[in-house]
Structures are given as structure tokens and as C-alpha cells.
Amino acid sequence: MALTLTCPVCGKRNGYEFRYGGEDKGPRPAEEGMTPSAWCDYVHMNKCTAGVQKEWWFHRDGCGAWFTTYRDTVANLEVDAPEVTE
Amino acid sequence: MAEIRRESPVDFGVRSLETEVRSDWPVALAYDAEGDGPWVVDLSHKTRWDLQDGQVGELTPAGQSVPATPGMSVLADGILINRMNRTQTSIYHLGSDAPDLPDHPGFTDVTEATIFLALFGPHALHIAEKLSNLDLGDPNKEAPFLLQGPFCHVPCQIVTLEKDAEDGTNGAGGFVLTCSRGYAQSMVHAILDAGAEFGLRPAGEQRFAQWLAALSS
Ligand SMILES: [Zn+2]
């Protein structure tokens, strides 16, 4: 089955309407004490999770909203947010 | 002095019966044998603004407030305001005159970047069903409301202005849509083709004005 994604404005829509925005890496690291290699890691390095990961998507052919959602990269299906276990 | 002439990229392939020039745009007022509907009307000359601001919900374009929720639209005094997302709103001037672009950096006049069509009358929503999987007659929404997504596979803003007109015909109602100007020819071709079985005809601006007046009364 093709990928569908749930836009917070438009609801569940065909994945082809969206542009992938990369893994969600959390907030931009602080400038204070930033080294070039730490910045390079933040910008370029990915976890490439085989399983559920949080990622950014852009509703390009729709409302123009950026949002995060969870996707199982093995099945290529959107999934619910995993329960936090701590 | 150079003479300015603006040109809608929309061409219905038939000559209009009556035309006037308004703000350098030739405007088709009526077509021959417009029939009993459904109709498609080219409104590309009508002024459209885009408004972006982090606090877009607090602004009052043309003196009117912006709807609070994305997907909501309001129509008042011939001005249609559509909340697109958290930071963006589109404003369509459906009446004959538009005020000058407000002196606020968030406004962009996009009239000449897009086409603007109205499709309304008996079976109008049935024609839309052939061209888009968006639900223009969504029973959970109250017209007017905004949909953003593919129509004829082209990213569009679509505003349902009327979803269940009581003219005895199922699927009667109507909507306006905008998309990038370059798609005009294929968009019109696809719409006329899909509407042929329902008797879709090109109509002039007067036909749209009558519908708008009926909606507003
Ligand atoms: Zn959306």
C-alpha cells in the first residue's frame, strides 16, 4: 500500500503530496561551545533507523505546513507516536 | 506612454458576447448560449492577495478578521478570506473593485501569478468528483471552506462557496479555485471535458456576479 501521511491541517492524504524533510534531530544545538565537527554532525549525520523514527514532512501540494510524524521505515507506513518508556 | 494590456491565460475557445476592459484586463461579461448550467467562469482578473505573518490571525485585511482555524473561510462584502495554515492566508476580492495593497510587508499581490476559475450550478460538484479526490461537499464542513490539494493533479486552493444548492439537482453548488498560471490551458481542457456530460458551458462574469449576490443575500 502506498504511503499516506496525516497533515495537521488537511488530515490523511496521499504521500505524493508531501516532501520529506529529514529525520527529526531535535532543537538546533547551542552556539556556545559549538565546534565545526559537532555542527557538521548535526547537519549531515543521520541515524537511518530501520524501524520507527520521528521525521519532518512538508505538505507541498497542500496547505504548506511543516510538521513531524512517525514512520516505520521498514514498512514505509505512518505509525502512532511510540510510547515513551523511561 | 506605454499601453498596458493584461491577459488571462484562460481560453475557453469560444468568443465572448460582451467584453469590457477593467484595470487593463479584458473581462468577458457574457457568452453566447450559456445555457442553464453548470457554468465555468474565468475570474483571473479578480485581485488576489497572499498574506504571511507569524501573527496572521490578528491581522485585519480589508478591515476583516482572519479565520482562526486553517481550512476555514469567511465571505463578507465580496471579500473571501481563507486561512491556509498557521502563518498564511489568501484573500480573494470577488466583487468588482479591490482596495490598494495594504502597506504591510506580509502582503503579496498574486493576481498575475495564478489563474482563478469559478465552477457552479447543477452538478458542479459531480464534475469536481471526476477531477479530484478532495471532498468539496464534505458533510462535516460548512461553506465557505478551503481545501488545498490536487485538482486535475495540480496543486490548487479550492473554496467551496455552496455545497448543496436547493435547485432540485443532486450535486448542485459551486466553488472557486486558483492554481499556478502555467496550468491554465490543461486545467480548462480537463474541466470542460469532464463537464461535457453535464452540459458545462463557459459563462461570463455577470453569471458569477448573480451567483455571488444570491449567496450573499
Ligand atoms: Zn496540509
Side-chain angles (χ1 to χ4, degrees), chain B residues 5-8 12 16-31 41-47 95-96 203-209:
Chain B
R5 184 181 159 87
R6 295 193 157 82
E7 197 71 59
S8 168
F12 292 129
S16 59
L17 205 59
E18 205 185 336
T19 304
E20 75 174 34
V21 175
R22 199 182 309 146
S23 308
D24 310 311
W25 293 89
V27 179
L29 299 177
Y31 284 88
V41 177
D42 178 20
L43 300 173
S44 299
H45 58 282
K46 301 260 186 205
T47 303
S96 49
E205 192 202 42
Q206 285 167 353
R207 184 76 61 177
F208 174 76

Side-chain angles (χ1 to χ4, degrees), chain A residues 7 9-10 59 62-63:
Chain A
C7 169
V9 172
C10 308
H59 198 186
C63 66

Side-chain angles (χ1 to χ4, degrees), chain B residues 74-96:
Chain B
V74 284
L75 173 63
D77 300 329
I79 300 172
L80 183 63
I81 304 185
N82 316 297
R83 182 71 180 260
M84 296 162 62
N85 54 42
R86 200 172 54 79
T87 58
Q88 210 174 355
T89 286
S90 61
I91 299 147
Y92 306 160
H93 296 274
L94 303 180
S96 49

Side-chain angles (χ1 to χ4, degrees), chain A residues 8-10 13-14 17 59-65, chain B residues 70-71 84-86 88 133-134 148-150 155-156:
Chain A
V9 172
C10 308
R13 299 278 275 264
N14 188 322
E17 293 180 21
H59 198 186
R60 179 193 57 202
D61 288 1
C63 66
Chain B
M84 296 162 62
N85 54 42
R86 200 172 54 79
Q88 210 174 355
N133 61 15
L134 296 167
Q148 300 166 96
C156 286

